[in-house]
Amino acid sequence: MDEPGERGMEAEHAELVRQARADGIEALLGGVAVLDAGGRVLLVRRQPGDYLGGRWEIPGGSLDPEEAPRAGAARELAEETGLTGLPLAYLHAADFTGRAGVRARQFAYTATVPDGAPVTLTEHDAHRWAPLDALPELSPHHREILDRLPRA
């Protein structure tokens, strides 16, 4: 039998997706703002030849059809950084207009890892741990997400 917390998370995910669809959102994404013990956030840099190549962002990407936002965020984090098994806490959802004018919403979660946690990149060409008060240039929706993180 499911734990009550699991049923609650499923309901939370369903409501997030339902509201996004009601708002006319066409693309759903998940992302994770990973913090280390020192309060720095993990950023990954897009490959030069990619859409928005060279830009720093939090790990994340498109949800699979019928995938819950939290599960998609965890999957994308594992695929892009090798970080797995982290408890994710919901942070914020940020809307933006993507390629070809598609209305998108990224559901963002947070996780914490010890300083020096190994990061294995598969889709990006670099990563860095950035202090929240000294972030590089980010897209507006990633800035909006990171602005929601508590400052020390």
Side-chain angles (χ1 to χ4, degrees):
M1 184 168 180
D2 288 340
E3 295 295 320
E6 289 177 23
R7 283 193 303 272
M9 281 193 288
E10 287 177 15
E12 170 198 344
H13 298 314
E15 178 57 22
L16 290 172
V17 171
R18 186 202 65 73
Q19 185 60 53
R21 295 299 186 209
D23 293 343
I25 299 298
E26 301 167 83
L28 302 175
L29 298 91
V32 183
V34 179
L35 298 169
D36 69 7
R40 299 174 304 168
V41 65
L42 174 64
L43 298 176
V44 292
R45 188 173 64 197
R46 296 180 72 87
Q47 299 270 357
D50 285 353
Y51 175 69
L52 300 176
R55 178 141 316 159
W56 293 94
E57 61 188 10
I58 63 171
S62 297
L63 300 182
D64 290 338
E66 307 303 318
E67 186 174 38
R70 186 184 311 266
R75 177 186 52 75
E76 286 287 342
L77 179 65
E79 288 174 3
E80 294 183 1
T81 68
L83 296 171
T84 61
L86 301 176
L88 302 182
Y90 182 72
L91 178 63
H92 180 65
D95 294 349
F96 63 99
T97 301
R99 283 191 250 188
V102 172
R103 294 186 62 207
R105 178 167 294 166
Q106 185 166 35
F107 301 104
Y109 296 83
T110 61
T112 303
V113 297
D115 287 346
V119 174
T120 304
L121 298 178
T122 59
E123 300 176 20
H124 298 82
D125 70 348
H127 79 280
R128 68 193 277 191
W129 293 94
L132 292 174
D133 61 354
L135 295 171
E137 181 181 348
L138 301 167
S139 64
H141 80 279
H142 282 114
R143 173 67 66 178
E144 178 183 339
I145 290 166
L146 295 179
D147 283 346
R148 296 292 179 124
L149 290 169
R151 302 303 199 260

